[in-house]
Amino acid sequence: MAIPTGYSRAQIALHWITAALVAAQLVLHDPIEWAFDKSVETGAFVFTAGGIAHLASGTLVLGLVMWRLILRNERGAPAAPAGEPDWAKRVSRIAHLAFYALLLALPITGAATWGVLSETGGDVHETLSNVLFALILAHVGAVLVHQFVWKTGLIRRMVAPEDDG
């Protein structure tokens, strides 16, 4: 398979939709935490609109990430830009693997935690969430370094599709 020079429209759309849903998860944290705590306290599931939205958007993230992985497997991803140091290429590969692992693990741990009302599961889910948000900050920082320090034009990949694939 030839290495693409950019991402497809579908890959770009899925990236930004996933990013928006992950941002929504931050906003919906308090309602799901309240419903979870109340459910643990009473032993009966308590649902709120915000909690249901958190559960639904987490499920949607899981589906979209699986779709992203299928597209990445079928189409591939562009090579690192010229001018990126070798150490940064290695870190980028690790970061992308970590993103996919976390974006798969979080909906699964969230659903399992909710399903059995496990406080330990909730702690694991929250820890993974914190790791994801730290990784997001590092990702945004790396994009800014690419754009303004190394001047690789990397950001174009996520705003201008290569084709309609």
Side-chain angles (χ1 to χ4, degrees):
M1 165 176 35
I3 296 174
T5 57
Y7 291 104
S8 70
R9 242 178 248 292
Q11 287 172 305
I12 292 169
L14 288 169
H15 172 271
W16 291 111
I17 293 167
T18 302
L21 287 169
V22 169
Q25 293 296 73
L26 180 61
V27 172
L28 297 168
H29 174 265
D30 288 345
I32 193 69
E33 184 177 43
W34 181 89
F36 179 77
D37 289 345
K38 192 58 93 174
S39 297
V40 169
E41 179 184 312
T42 64
F45 291 105
V46 175
F47 294 98
T48 63
I52 292 169
H54 184 91
L55 293 168
S57 60
T59 302
L60 189 53
V61 165
L62 180 62
L64 293 177
V65 169
M66 289 172 24
W67 186 7
R68 288 178 69 175
L69 286 169
I70 290 167
L71 281 176
R72 189 176 181 103
N73 184 56
E74 290 176 353
R75 188 178 188 286
E84 182 178 68
D86 286 340
W87 67 265
K89 291 175 189 174
R90 286 189 296 277
V91 170
S92 175
R93 278 192 295 275
I94 292 167
H96 279 89
L97 287 172
F99 265 121
Y100 284 116
L102 288 165
L103 290 171
L104 291 170
L106 277 160
I108 292 167
T109 60
T113 295
W114 182 260
V116 298
L117 298 177
S118 167
E119 291 187 66
T120 301
D123 293 343
V124 168
H125 184 72
E126 189 155 344
T127 298
L128 292 175
S129 296
N130 291 334
V131 172
L132 176 63
F133 289 117
L135 189 56
I136 290 168
L137 290 175
H139 179 64
V140 170
V143 169
L144 294 173
V145 167
H146 269 278
Q147 193 66 25
F148 298 111
V149 177
W150 296 334
K151 300 185 186 318
T152 63
L154 180 82
I155 202 165
R156 281 192 307 270
R157 292 179 176 188
M158 273 302 143
V159 294
E162 181 184 63
D163 60 30
D164 285 338

